[in-house]
Amino acid sequence: MAHDALDPAFRRLIDEHAPVRQIGTGFTFTEGPIWHPAEHYLLFSDMPADVRRRWDRHGVREVLKPSNKGNGMTYDAALNLIVCEHATSSVARFRPDGAREVLASHFEGRELNSPNDIVVKSDGSIWFTDPWYGRMPHYGVERPRQLGWQGVFRIPPNARPGAEPELVVDRYMFTQPNGLCFCPDESKLYVNDTEQANIRVFEVDGGRLKNGRVFASGIRDSLKSGVPDGMKCDAEGNIWVTGPGGLWVYAPDGRHIGKVSIPEHPANLHWGGEDWRTLFVAASTSVYAVDVKIGPRNEPFMRARPAAGSAPAAPAADGDLRLDPSRCALVIQDMQNDVVMEGGAFASSGAPEHARAQRSVENAARLAAHCRARGVPVIHVHFIVPPGAKGLTLNCPLFEGAYEANALVRGTWGAAPAPGLEPVEGDHVVEKMRMSAWEGSTLETVLKAEGRDIIIETGAWTNMSIEHTARTGADKGYVMVIPEDACSTMNADWHRASIDYAMQNVALVTKTDAVIAALG
């Protein structure tokens, strides 16, 4: 089934001919897919059947019946399951041991309509929509409405269970508010309206919304079934919303860039899989899966791990290193012509000779290829000096040397990546003008967007940029993994001094082949 690229940007997100796999069928009306980040299974709702189901490599099975006709679901940072229940007009929390507690059920003393879709912000607040579909037959329990309008609500962090939520929009703004999602940095909240066939976007100001406007409209087609319902945001800020014929995808600037074709009427979607590159779609009587090239917005639960879990990167009992690809990112730092190649500005330092001896360029390239195949983001960190060295401070010999050698100037051969380490489609490129990759760069923004907390660091120079980045990464709480044969500096003595002493205290030092094996 071919998908529809309305703009070339769409092809960066999904292959136009990516197959859509049916992973389960025979249900009544599926909703609320959500992926468990540690145990790797999918939960989804079958509202009319009043069942919650689970899909994993063994197939589909029931996990809860009755389920109070649950609809949208997500997890909080502690991996408690948060569910919108149509039959009880409640937002409920299910702890890992199965204990249920109601977080919200009334506003101004009246029952909520029927909480529908839900998202958790990084501060722990819970945001949900409240149309009245759950008071209709089939999708819920038919009964009179008490509020008389449909809103969007927020449960503050650490709110007392059962306390009234906060209304965050004008109570008459929406007809049937449905899907909602934050942008990657949570500065915007998107909310769609099924009846109005549009998406609104708001600026997030703490616990309030302001400056709301229509982001996309006209999400309808008289010839195809499907309406705005579930909605999610990817790591680059693109909005994926259910619509006629499948999923409609909008760029952050509001351009409609493509459509993902789904065989049945879609109701909701979410990313999952071990590498977060599988899009699961709940669609009428079935659940579908399609491989994509882009991961999700980094939601708090995606970084959660079981409290009793072991260290995230450590030798296993058999002595072999184990790394979870869904938590890793590869950084290739300062592997530029001026730094490691003959003819570069710093060639006289001995750096090209040591890079050859280490085979650091070749090893980093092998590792990058394997990481891409395993869904591990590859992040190129380049030292880039503007023409005229504007903004480069001359406060230390390293920066003075770059200035005097006219090195690493944007647009020159010297600033370009070493042959074999050119970024490919899907990689990230981060720029800096400091030794550490963290300083004055977007590295941490990228890592948070990708949901990664284990950094495999390669590049040049070992005792400067690599060590500085590893030290700061450890301080920030990241697990730093250094395949030392994918790093190089000016000579073997300086390399060994860093690897054998300082690095041992801030990173797990290993070899390229061990990392490749550890990733599977």
Side-chain angles (χ1 to χ4, degrees), residues 345-395:
F346 302 116
S348 62
S349 69
E353 181 180 355
H354 190 246
R356 287 195 300 272
Q358 287 283 100
R359 295 184 60 82
S360 57
V361 173
E362 294 88 339
N363 287 330
R366 285 196 300 124
L367 187 50
H370 188 74
C371 284
R372 294 182 188 109
R374 298 292 291 126
V376 174
V378 176
I379 306 170
H380 303 262
V381 179
H382 292 161
F383 196 117
I384 299 293
V385 178
K390 184 177 182 180
L392 178 65
T393 59
L394 305 181
N395 60 303

Side-chain angles (χ1 to χ4, degrees), residues 281-476:
V281 183
S284 299
T285 66
S286 306
V287 176
Y288 295 89
V290 58
D291 294 333
V292 294
K293 301 177 183 179
I294 185 77
R297 176 189 86 86
N298 184 18
E299 299 186 53
F301 81 88
M302 295 175 182
R303 304 186 294 273
R305 293 296 180 270
S310 58
D318 59 8
D320 292 333
L321 180 67
R322 297 286 188 266
L323 292 172
D324 180 354
S326 71
R327 300 178 64 182
C328 293
L330 173 66
V331 168
I332 302 173
Q333 184 170 193
D334 294 359
M335 285 295 212
Q336 296 159 264
N337 290 328
D338 270 344
V339 180
V340 295
M341 299 301 293
E342 293 291 354
F346 302 116
S348 62
S349 69
E353 181 180 355
H354 190 246
R356 287 195 300 272
Q358 287 283 100
R359 295 184 60 82
S360 57
V361 173
E362 294 88 339
N363 287 330
R366 285 196 300 124
L367 187 50
H370 188 74
C371 284
R372 294 182 188 109
R374 298 292 291 126
V376 174
V378 176
I379 306 170
H380 303 262
V381 179
H382 292 161
F383 196 117
I384 299 293
V385 178
K390 184 177 182 180
L392 178 65
T393 59
L394 305 181
N395 60 303
C396 69
L398 183 73
F399 302 148
E400 290 173 354
Y403 174 76
E404 291 169 358
N406 199 31
L408 301 166
V409 175
R410 183 186 303 280
T412 65
W413 173 85
L421 291 178
E422 298 86 354
V424 304
E425 184 176 353
D427 289 358
H428 298 277
V429 178
V430 170
E431 296 184 359
K432 61 165 190 172
M433 275 199 296
R434 285 293 181 268
M435 281 178 279
S436 172
W438 305 98
E439 295 298 325
S441 81
T442 58
L443 176 59
E444 193 156 27
T445 301
V446 172
L447 291 169
K448 287 184 176 180
E450 292 280 5
R452 309 293 163 145
D453 60 358
I454 301 173
I455 301 174
I456 305 164
E457 187 190 4
T458 67
W461 289 321
T462 314
N463 57 315
M464 296 187 200
S465 295
I466 303 304
E467 184 177 315
H468 281 350
T469 299
R471 287 174 178 271
T472 302
D475 279 341
K476 286 177 173 287

Side-chain angles (χ1 to χ4, degrees), residues 47-48 50 66-70 85-89 111-114 132-145:
M47 283 189 299
D50 203 13
S67 65
N68 292 327
K69 297 204 170 184
E85 296 183 344
H86 277 190
T88 65
S89 296
E111 280 187 348
L112 297 170
N113 295 306
S114 56
W132 65 280
Y133 292 118
R135 292 176 180 263
M136 298 179 184
H138 188 67
Y139 298 108
V141 177
E142 189 172 9
R143 60 203 191 278
R145 287 178 280 167

Side-chain angles (χ1 to χ4, degrees), residues 103-107 112 128 153-156 162-167:
L103 299 182
S105 61
H106 289 71
F107 181 75
L112 297 170
F128 65 94
F153 293 90
R154 172 183 181 265
I155 301 173
E164 292 197 346
E166 301 170 350
L167 179 66

Side-chain angles (χ1 to χ4, degrees), residues 484-505:
E484 61 98 2
D485 56 349
C487 303
S488 61
T489 184
M490 299 177 187
N491 57 63
D493 289 342
W494 285 17
H495 177 80
R496 293 260 48 103
S498 179
I499 289 296
D500 293 342
Y501 295 97
M503 289 289 200
Q504 298 295 326
N505 294 310

